[in-house]
Amino acid sequence: MRELLEVIESPDSTARDAAALPVPASYRAAVLHKSETGMFEGVAPADRDPGAAIHIQDVPTPEPGPGEVLVAVMASAVNYNTVWSALFSPVPTFAFLERYARTGGLAARHDQPYHVIGSDLAGMVLRTGPGVRRWQAGDRVVAHCLSVELEGADGHNDAMLDPEQRIWGFETNYGGLAELALVKATQLMPKPEHLTWEEAAAPGLVNSTAYRQLVSRNGAGMKQGDNVLIWGAAGGLGSYATQLALAGGATPVCVVSSPQKAALSRALGAELVIDRSAEDYRFWSDEHTQDPREWRRFGSRIRELTGGEDVDIVFEHPGRETFGASVYVTRRGGTVVTCASTSGYLHQYDNRYLWMSLKKIIGSHFANYREAWEANRLVTRGRIHPTLSRSYPLTEVDRAVRSMHRNEHHGKVGVLCLAPEEGLGVRNPELRARHEKSINLFRTFEGAGVGGHAAVAGAVG
Ligand code: NAP
C-alpha cells in the first residue's frame, strides 16, 4: 500500500504509473458479520451499541467487472445508514445482499459472510473493468452512492426510479469504509481539488440527498425567497440543506437541540434558529397521542422569527417524532419533503391540515447521477462547503459510528482509509485560500470547546 500512496500523493505521477500499480489480493475494511445479525436480540433499542458490530479485517479484493471500477480509498465518511447497518435495523443488510445476488451474474459476488459498509469515498481510480471509457487509472475521484442497472425502461427519466436501484455500501457490498472499494463507473465524479481527501469524502451522500430533496424539481423545487424549515440543521443532511437554502436565496429556519448547534447554524449564515431542547417542544403527550397545542406553539415561534410567515417547505427526516408538527406548520399550498424516519417510520398527522390547506408530502431518496453531479459541482466551485467536524482512522470506525448514534457529532464525521493523516490531497490551494474559514468551520468549532464556540461563530459568520 506504500507504493500506492506514493503514486497517489506525487504531483508527477501519471495514469501509466497508476495502471502499473499491483492490485493487492486483499485489503482492510470495516465489515459486519452475517453470523452476528442476531447479536442485539433481547437488548433494549436504547442499549444497542452499533460499534460492537463493526470489525476491521482483511477481505479478498474483487475484480472489477464490465462497467465497474476499483478505487483506492483515501478517505470515507460515516453516514446514518452506517448506523442502521451496524444495528441490523430495521433489517440486516445481508438481506439486501442476498436479494441482489439472486439477480444473477456478477451481482452474486455481493452475497458474502461479511458486508463491507460505507457509502462515501474520495480516492484514486486503481483499475477499470471492461467497457469503462470515461475514467482511467490515476483519476482523482469522489463516488456517489447510487447503484443502478438501468436495464428496464423505468429508470430512464430518473435513475432513482430504476427497479434495481440500490445504495452502494448499504444495499451492495464492497463499500467505502475500506482501503479499496468497488463502484460502478457511473458513480464517479471529479474530486473537488481545493479539498483534502477527508473533506472531499464528507459531502457526497448527504449533500446529494439534500440537493434532490430541497432544490431539484424531483424534490421540493425550492425557489428564491422560500422559507424552509430544516430539522437537524447542524447534522449531516441539515448542514447541507442550510447551505443550499442560503445559496439559493431562501430563508432557512434551523431547528437544533443545543446552544452549540444553534451557534453552528448561525455561523453557517442562518439567522432564524430554534433550539428545540431549550424551548422543550413535546409533540407527543404519550406514545399514542400528539398534542396539537405544541404544534401551534411551534408554528407561532416560526411566525415570530419570520415576521408572521409560515414555511413554504419543511425538510423532514426525523419522522414519527416531528411529522405531525411538520404537516401542521407548512403554509397553505406548501410542501413537506421527507427522506427518512430516524425516530420511527409509522407517522401520524392530522390529514385535515393537509387536504384543506392543499399541502403536499413528497418522498425523496438519495439523488440521480445528474443531481449528485450538480451537488458535487457546487462543492467543487466553493459554493457549498464540507461540514466535517472530526476524522477517525479506519481502525476506529466503531467510535465514529457510536458518536453519530448518540447524536454527539456535529455535521459530518470523516474516516481516514489509506490517507495516513489529515490534510493531504489539496491541488487547488488558491481556491482553498478563498474559503479556508468556511471549509474549517465545523472542525474549528469542534476543537474550540464550549467556551470558544461563540468566538468561532463570530469569526466565521
Ligand atoms: P445526523 O447527522 O445524525 O443528523 C440528524 C439530525 O436530526 C440530528 O443532528 C438531530 O439534530 C436531528 N434529530 C434526530 N432525532 C430527532 C428527533 N427525534 N426530533 C428532531 N430532530 C431530531 O443524520 P443525517 O445524516 O442527517 O441523517 C438523518 C436521517 O436521514 C437518518 O435517518 C438517515 O438514515 C436518513 N438519510 C436518508 C437519506 C436518503 O437518501 N433517503 C440520505 C441521507 C440520510 P438536533 O438534535 O440538533 O435537533
Side-chain angles (χ1 to χ4, degrees):
M1 292 291 180
R2 189 174 331 137
E3 203 186 341
L4 187 67
L5 271 178
E6 276 169 19
V7 169
I8 295 176
E9 279 305 298
S10 165
D12 304 321
S13 49
T14 61
R16 190 179 293 207
D17 295 331
L21 284 166
V23 175
S26 63
Y27 65 98
R28 231 165 29 140
V31 305
L32 307 174
H33 288 174
K34 199 173 196 171
S35 58
E36 291 184 347
T37 54
M39 71 189 285
F40 297 125
E41 273 165 27
V43 182
D47 297 332
R48 293 178 191 169
D49 169 18
I54 292 170
H55 305 269
I56 307 299
Q57 69 179 55
D58 278 10
V59 297
T61 306
E63 173 103 1
E68 293 180 340
V69 174
L70 191 66
V71 181
V73 183
M74 292 298 274
S76 182
V78 170
N79 282 293
Y80 217 92
N81 72 7
T82 328
V83 176
W84 297 126
S85 302
L87 288 172
F88 305 111
S89 171
V91 286
T93 52
F94 291 96
F96 303 138
L97 304 184
E98 286 163 17
R99 199 176 308 153
Y100 189 24
R102 283 199 294 273
T103 65
L106 284 175
R109 287 173 305 169
H110 290 258
D111 182 14
Q112 300 288 350
Y114 54 84
H115 185 187
V116 182
I117 51 175
S119 302
D120 273 315
L121 71 73
M124 186 196 79
V125 172
L126 189 57
R127 285 289 189 279
T128 55
V132 175
R133 290 186 294 271
R134 182 171 185 149
W135 305 96
Q136 60 175 340
D139 286 344
R140 293 153 63 89
V141 293
V142 291
H144 70 74
C145 63
L146 172 62
S147 166
V148 281
E149 310 300 325
L150 291 177
E151 288 190 45
D154 286 2
H156 282 264
N157 269 346
D158 173 10
M160 283 305 299
L161 298 183
D162 185 34
E164 297 297 328
Q165 176 268 318
R166 292 181 174 80
I167 298 298
W168 159 72
F170 180 60
E171 294 164 297
T172 78
N173 216 325
Y174 311 113
L177 288 164
E179 293 174 333
L180 301 177
L182 185 70
V183 298
K184 293 192 191 287
T186 49
Q187 288 177 243
L188 296 179
M189 307 185 290
K191 172 187 174 285
E193 288 293 13
H194 64 303
L195 300 180
T196 65
W197 295 108
E198 63 281 6
E199 290 163 357
L205 185 149
V206 283
N207 187 35
S208 308
T209 305
Y211 184 83
R212 179 182 175 106
Q213 191 176 347
L214 194 56
V215 180
S216 166
R217 271 169 286 185
N218 289 319
M222 184 192 80
K223 61 184 188 327
Q224 290 181 25
D226 278 352
N227 293 322
V228 184
L229 183 77
I230 300 173
W231 290 105
L237 286 172
S239 58
Y240 292 90
T242 301
Q243 294 186 72
L244 290 165
L246 289 165
T251 303
V253 181
C254 293
V255 186
V256 293
S257 66
S258 71
Q260 290 82 1
K261 290 181 177 180
L264 259 175
S265 294
R266 290 202 175 86
L268 275 178
E271 291 173 2
L272 314 183
V273 182
I274 296 174
D275 180 340
R276 67 181 173 99
S277 295
E279 299 183 20
D280 197 20
Y281 294 103
R282 294 170 191 234
F283 300 128
W284 291 80
S285 38
D286 63 49
E287 207 185 312
H288 308 288
T289 323
Q290 294 195 61
D291 184 351
R293 286 171 308 179
E294 285 293 273
W295 298 347
R296 284 195 284 278
R297 183 163 77 91
F298 187 55
S300 302
R301 177 72 175 123
I302 293 170
R303 285 185 181 170
E304 194 185 321
L305 291 171
T306 58
E309 295 180 342
D310 292 329
V311 290
D312 300 274
I313 300 169
V314 178
F315 184 86
E316 245 293 338
H317 51 89
R320 181 172 173 81
E321 185 99 11
T322 55
F323 206 81
S326 292
V327 170
Y328 179 81
V329 301
T330 303
R331 71 171 284 178
R332 200 173 163 78
T335 303
V336 178
V337 61
T338 174
C339 77
S341 293
T342 312
S343 64
Y345 49 76
L346 290 176
H347 298 183
Q348 270 183 26
Y349 62 88
D350 186 332
N351 202 32
R352 292 169 299 176
Y353 293 111
L354 189 85
W355 98 71
M356 293 297 287
S357 297
L358 301 107
K359 302 177 187 183
K360 293 178 278 293
I361 296 174
I362 295 180
S364 188
H365 186 39
F366 189 60
N368 62 37
Y369 193 6
R370 178 72 197 160
E371 290 160 341
W373 190 282
E374 286 169 2
N376 184 55
R377 180 170 165 270
L378 290 171
V379 176
T380 300
R381 300 214 158 182
R383 302 290 301 273
I384 299 292
H385 303 294
T387 58
L388 184 70
S389 58
R390 186 162 180 189
S391 295
Y392 292 81
L394 184 60
T395 46
E396 294 179 20
V397 170
D398 58 336
R399 288 182 61 207
V401 169
R402 265 184 210 114
S403 76
M404 182 170 251
H405 183 228
R406 293 177 185 152
N407 197 14
E408 290 166 356
H409 69 298
H410 296 129
K412 291 296 302 175
V413 178
V415 174
L416 300 176
C417 297
L418 283 170
E421 60 196 67
E422 293 182 50
L424 305 175
V426 176
R427 291 252 169 112
N428 185 347
E430 296 79 21
L431 182 60
R432 184 180 185 83
R434 296 222 304 270
H435 300 290
E436 189 93 46
K437 276 186 182 162
S438 301
I439 293 167
N440 285 321
L441 173 62
F442 275 60
R443 223 170 359 209
T444 315
F445 200 85
E446 193 86 353
V450 176
H453 288 149
V456 172
V460 179

